[in-house]
Amino acid sequence: MSTLCTTSARRGPQRGSLMAGALATAALTGISLIGSPTPARADDGNTFFTTEQQVFGFLSQSTPLNQQEAIKGYPASGQDAQEVKLDDVEKVYPHDQALQDVPSKLGSGFDLPPSVPTEGPDIRRRSGDDKEPWLSNWDAKSMCGQPSHNPGGDPMPCGFVGVLDKAYPTVQTTAAVMGKAKLTYKTQAMVGQDTSQTSGWSVGGKVSATLVPPGSTGGTSPGGEVNFSYSESTTTTNKWTSLTEQTTDVDIPDGVSGRLEGRVNGGSYLGYIVYKLDFTNGDGDRKQKMVLIPARVMIQAPSNPAPITWVKRQG
């Protein structure tokens, strides 16, 4: 039985390339893998990962993540519900750097023409501070994609830029079972539709996973789920789609305590929701500014069309 099971039917890792991928992930995540233990192997050849580093090392090969990511349009799906503070974002992604990245990542619509008086930048202190005082305290989501205040102007642009904060979060796991035993599981992914073309939003969806417990004759365990957004680089390619339910058996060899983990093929990115406001008041005075709002967003991996990877873990 292969170490890896995914909804796209990928096969297990090659032993010779595992450490190379793990070291690449160490450079990405800052985790040292020097001297990390090798995966446990049972007599029948099954491989069970024993550490997070080994899982990251494998997934970094099959599902590489970009260190920086961008989303065109407001990330209506995938935002962390917990408050994100500016101080935490600044430690890993200073707003000055984000302002430099915005035009290259999100396009020329975010340029600030020198002919228009500029204020700011308007850097918000926390994720909940998303009301716009220039426009009667509209929230950022409502503003994105609205018509320009200037005749013939482009719709109000918005997006997200961020850096990798956490890779491959766990969406579902079984309890550890001592072998010799068999685990039977079912997986299903539910994915929404991208509507950024019509409303100024970038909508991803929700990935959910269900498992049939060992020895069960019917029913499934409660499904784990994660909301996500599409990467700017995957808005037209490699989108995750709804998948049919799949059943797979995994044998746990004698003497091995094993479990299954479902890992989302994506990452959590810490950065800023950004929008440019080009505004003309009632007196005809025009001004502009760039607004950055702290945020954390789950983003789909750019190259893997399967939303979940299942790995075998020891312990």
Side-chain angles (χ1 to χ4, degrees):
M1 181 65 193
S2 65
T3 300
L4 168 71
C5 298
T6 74
T7 48
S8 59
R10 292 181 181 271
R11 293 298 180 186
Q14 298 297 316
R15 295 178 62 190
S17 61
L18 177 61
M19 184 54 67
L23 291 172
T25 301
L28 184 67
T29 62
I31 299 174
S32 174
L33 302 185
I34 302 302
S36 61
T38 57
R41 294 185 61 83
D43 291 340
D44 63 356
N46 278 335
T47 302
F48 288 81
F49 294 120
T50 59
T51 68
E52 284 291 290
Q53 292 95 326
Q54 291 164 358
V55 175
F56 291 163
F58 174 74
L59 291 175
S60 70
Q61 299 174 73
S62 62
T63 309
L65 297 176
N66 294 325
Q67 177 63 29
Q68 287 187 304
E69 271 291 5
I71 297 171
K72 289 184 176 179
Y74 183 89
S77 183
Q79 284 194 58
D80 194 330
Q82 299 295 316
E83 182 179 80
V84 180
K85 296 181 179 179
L86 176 62
D87 289 345
D88 294 330
V89 183
E90 291 277 12
K91 293 174 184 177
V92 296
Y93 194 29
H95 72 267
D96 288 341
Q97 181 61 53
L99 286 168
Q100 294 179 36
D101 293 340
V102 164
S104 62
K105 297 290 186 182
L106 299 178
S108 60
F110 286 85
D111 290 337
L112 297 172
S115 59
V116 180
T118 301
E119 295 187 9
D122 184 351
I123 312 299
R124 306 296 171 80
R125 306 302 302 180
R126 57 187 181 85
S127 54
D129 187 10
D130 67 345
K131 305 298 189 295
E132 179 46 60
W134 288 12
L135 291 176
S136 303
N137 286 328
W138 278 25
D139 61 80
K141 182 178 178 182
S142 299
M143 291 172 50
C144 285
Q146 292 294 326
S148 172
H149 278 73
N150 300 294
D154 294 328
M156 295 171 59
C158 60
F160 170 83
V161 290
V163 297
L164 184 60
D165 181 49
K166 182 179 180 180
Y168 317 117
T170 300
V171 67
Q172 182 67 289
T173 185
T174 68
V177 176
M178 180 61 70
K180 190 174 185 178
K182 175 176 288 189
L183 295 178
T184 299
Y185 69 90
K186 295 181 180 180
T187 66
Q188 185 179 47
M190 303 288 291
V191 177
Q193 180 181 6
D194 183 359
T195 61
S196 60
Q197 296 274 329
T198 58
S199 65
W201 297 354
S202 179
V203 176
K206 180 183 293 183
V207 174
S208 61
T210 57
L211 296 169
V212 175
S216 174
T217 58
T220 60
S221 64
E225 59 186 33
V226 167
N227 292 318
F228 73 94
S229 285
Y230 289 118
S231 165
E232 183 275 329
S233 63
T234 62
T235 53
T236 57
T237 59
N238 292 321
K239 287 184 179 181
W240 295 342
T241 57
S242 296
L243 303 174
T244 56
E245 192 171 69
Q246 175 180 314
T247 301
T248 304
D249 292 332
V250 176
D251 291 317
I252 299 178
D254 189 26
V256 173
S257 175
R259 68 183 189 276
L260 288 170
E261 283 185 354
R263 296 298 189 109
V264 176
N265 291 334
S268 175
Y269 288 80
L270 195 59
Y272 306 90
I273 293 171
V274 55
Y275 63 85
K276 187 188 82 169
L277 182 54
D278 188 344
F279 178 74
T280 302
N281 63 23
D283 296 329
D285 297 325
R286 185 179 177 186
K287 57 184 179 179
Q288 64 181 353
K289 68 175 177 178
M290 197 79 75
V291 180
L292 272 66
I293 305 169
R296 181 183 285 107
V297 181
M298 178 66 62
I299 300 179
Q300 171 192 347
S303 60
N304 194 334
I308 297 174
T309 294
W310 291 89
V311 295
K312 294 191 290 186
R313 297 292 303 272
Q314 182 176 0

